[in-house]
Amino acid sequence: MFSFSDTRRCVWVNGPVIVGAGPSGLAVAAGLKEQGVPFVILERANCIASLWQKRTYDRLKLHLPKQFCQLPKFPFPDHYPEYPNKKQFIEYLESYARHFDINPQFNETVESAKYDEACRLWRVKTVSPSGCEVEYICQWLVVATGENAEQVMPEIEGLQNFGGEVIHACDYKSGENFRGKRVVVVGCGNSGMEVSLDLCNHDAKPSMVVRSSVHVIPREVFGKSTFELAIFMLKWLPLWLVDKILLVLAWTILGNIEKCGLKRPSVGPLELKNTQGKTPVLDIGALEKIKSREINIVPGIKKFSCGMVEFLNGEKLEIDAVVMATGYRSNVPYWLQETEFFSNNGFPKAPFPNGWKGRAGLYAVGFTRRGLSGASVDAMKIAQDIGKVWKEDLNQKKQKVPTHRRCISTF
């Protein structure tokens, strides 16, 4: 390998570059390994699945049964519970990487990726914490940074003057540090509900901000996963009818949630998920706390002031801390210099199941808004698609190596 300097080098990859070593990136890498296709997987953190390892709360469990969350060709261990916890899922992913001998390049942040029309190759530039710059040159680029790459922190008037602790849900670990404190949780999705429940269980006093309508359905119906039941019914019934059945079951088991200050959307939970990507809340106990007033439901926030929050209805509340359960976003627009395949929000323009392949060797995995099962489906398609072309090139011995590059290191 020839280097420009001690801190800058160029690498030719005899296969795809995968950006992101989360579950989606690992699934693609495993599929490529099975076909004998070489690759490089780049990860900005110092570990695989950094979202799970570093940006999730301690009590987190998979919201769906494990059979819907396993990666391709590697089931969960039989002794794992139906809903593995955070530690178990991380151990599963680490076992997955070991099993398929996946070794990411850690601590490499992709600063830019651009298709070079002249040589018909991708140029992926990275930088490490030490300042070392690397340019990877490859025929295929797999974007596996996913839907949750960056936290979303809303700008709310007066927040800078609040004076108390303000964190995003990705930095929340446990309610232990909030015992006896009055905490506003901004957001009523699965994270907001579970953080509020955890705060309750640690004797804090949470108030959950509900700005819009939300579907809350039981995680299980008569001992069976609600998600599994919905998948089964969709084999025989139209989506609109399955939605109606789910809502009747939810009303039967959970009661009328509007009496608790939660308004249901006019569109059914599955249709809303398919059309807008909004996941229904799978209740694991928060609703009981809401009904007993241990979790206080409050409207949207107007502004903050020193030690206080004012809501849109004029009510004011003295509080000690704020947890922003306001979600995440894709970071693709910040580094991928391409506008044909990806939209401005960092998601592929084509909806599932057609959002996995672009032009010129560009692929996307983990953007289906259908969880790990959707990512696994796309990962296998990508690995098979790349493997087919790679093997054809290999068999014909027409694999072209660019003569204009200034330095080479083959992976």
Side-chain angles (χ1 to χ4, degrees):
M1 180 181 71
F2 175 83
S3 298
F4 297 135
S5 67
D6 291 339
T7 60
R8 188 179 177 195
R9 60 194 178 98
C10 183
V11 175
W12 162 252
V13 181
N14 187 24
V17 166
I18 304 169
V19 182
S24 298
L26 296 177
V28 175
L32 293 170
K33 272 280 185 179
E34 284 213 316
Q35 299 184 70
V37 179
F39 59 87
V40 168
I41 181 166
L42 304 174
E43 171 56 50
R44 64 181 176 179
N46 62 357
C47 61
I48 64 169
S50 62
L51 175 66
W52 277 85
Q53 298 218 46
K54 298 186 174 186
R55 295 184 288 158
T56 51
Y57 38 88
D58 295 341
R59 63 163 288 138
L60 181 63
K61 293 183 179 181
L62 293 177
H63 289 143
L64 304 180
K66 61 184 179 181
Q67 66 265 31
F68 297 105
C69 300
Q70 65 189 26
L71 299 186
K73 302 182 180 181
F74 196 79
F76 281 95
D78 290 338
H79 67 274
Y80 271 32
E82 186 172 15
Y83 301 95
N85 61 32
K86 172 182 174 177
K87 182 176 181 290
Q88 290 168 327
F89 186 58
I90 291 170
E91 288 174 349
Y92 166 77
L93 294 177
E94 290 175 339
S95 297
Y96 191 86
R98 286 194 300 271
H99 178 80
F100 291 101
D101 193 25
I102 301 169
N103 300 292
Q105 302 286 111
F106 293 120
N107 297 310
E108 288 204 46
T109 300
V110 174
E111 289 199 320
S112 69
K114 184 178 182 180
Y115 186 69
D116 190 328
E117 296 284 354
C119 62
R120 293 185 294 179
L121 294 168
W122 285 93
R123 295 180 176 273
V124 184
K125 295 182 180 180
T126 71
V127 63
S128 69
S130 64
C132 179
E133 297 178 3
V134 182
E135 181 177 44
Y136 295 90
I137 300 174
C138 56
Q139 185 176 349
W140 301 283
L141 176 64
V142 181
V143 179
T145 48
E147 306 165 6
N148 303 317
E150 304 291 343
Q151 66 185 43
V152 174
M153 286 287 281
E155 295 183 3
I156 304 176
E157 182 184 347
L159 187 58
Q160 69 277 12
N161 302 319
F162 168 58
E165 184 176 6
V166 180
I167 62 171
H168 190 271
C170 68
D171 297 313
Y172 178 94
K173 299 303 177 185
S174 166
E176 181 63 38
N177 296 331
F178 296 92
R179 284 189 182 276
K181 293 185 178 181
R182 300 158 297 182
V183 185
V184 162
V185 179
V186 183
C188 60
N190 278 296
S191 292
M193 288 278 191
E194 195 156 359
V195 166
S196 297
L197 176 61
D198 190 59
L199 287 166
C200 265
N201 291 340
H202 286 88
D203 298 323
K205 300 174 182 177
S207 295
M208 186 171 65
V209 175
V210 179
R211 295 172 294 175
S212 56
S213 56
V214 59
H215 277 300
V216 181
I217 58 179
R219 186 176 69 172
E220 293 183 340
V221 175
F222 308 126
K224 290 291 185 180
S225 161
T226 305
F227 179 79
E228 188 174 1
L229 177 63
I231 294 297
F232 175 77
M233 289 192 293
L234 285 171
K235 294 179 180 178
W236 312 100
L237 303 173
L239 185 143
W240 67 267
L241 183 54
V242 175
D243 264 343
K244 286 189 177 296
I245 294 171
L246 289 178
L247 290 176
V248 169
L249 290 172
W251 187 88
T252 302
I253 296 170
L254 302 178
N256 183 1
I257 66 170
E258 296 201 4
K259 291 182 178 179
C260 306
L262 302 172
K263 184 179 179 182
R264 286 199 183 276
S266 58
V267 178
L270 297 182
E271 184 180 351
L272 194 65
K273 176 66 174 174
N274 286 347
T275 57
Q276 299 182 34
K278 293 184 178 180
T279 304
V281 171
L282 295 174
D283 181 56
I284 55 173
L287 197 59
E288 274 303 315
K289 300 292 186 180
I290 292 171
K291 290 177 179 178
S292 65
R293 310 276 184 180
E294 293 173 80
I295 296 176
N296 184 32
I297 299 298
V298 293
I301 295 171
K302 181 179 180 180
K303 64 180 180 180
F304 286 96
S305 56
C306 184
M308 187 171 291
V309 59
E310 181 179 347
F311 302 107
L312 293 175
N313 62 0
E315 179 186 350
K316 295 182 180 180
L317 187 66
E318 291 185 358
I319 57 172
D320 303 300
V322 179
V323 178
M324 296 288 187
T326 43
Y328 301 85
R329 61 170 168 243
S330 165
N331 68 359
V332 174
Y334 297 105
W335 58 269
L336 181 62
Q337 298 176 30
E338 189 275 346
T339 57
E340 182 179 318
F341 182 51
F342 278 90
S343 59
N344 292 335
N345 67 356
F347 283 75
K349 293 180 180 179
F352 181 84
N354 302 312
W356 62 278
K357 183 178 181 180
R359 62 175 289 272
L362 178 63
Y363 298 89
V365 60
F367 297 90
T368 63
R369 293 190 172 102
R370 283 168 170 77
L372 293 167
S373 59
S376 294
V377 169
D378 281 355
M380 295 308 296
K381 289 180 182 177
I382 292 168
Q384 291 166 5
D385 199 59
I386 294 175
K388 179 181 178 182
V389 178
W390 189 84
K391 289 174 182 177
E392 288 174 355
D393 289 349
L394 189 65
N395 291 337
Q396 297 173 9
K397 296 184 179 180
K398 293 181 180 179
Q399 192 171 2
K400 297 180 181 180
V401 179
T403 58
H404 61 276
R405 67 186 183 281
R406 291 189 283 177
C407 53
I408 299 176
S409 174
T410 301
F411 277 75

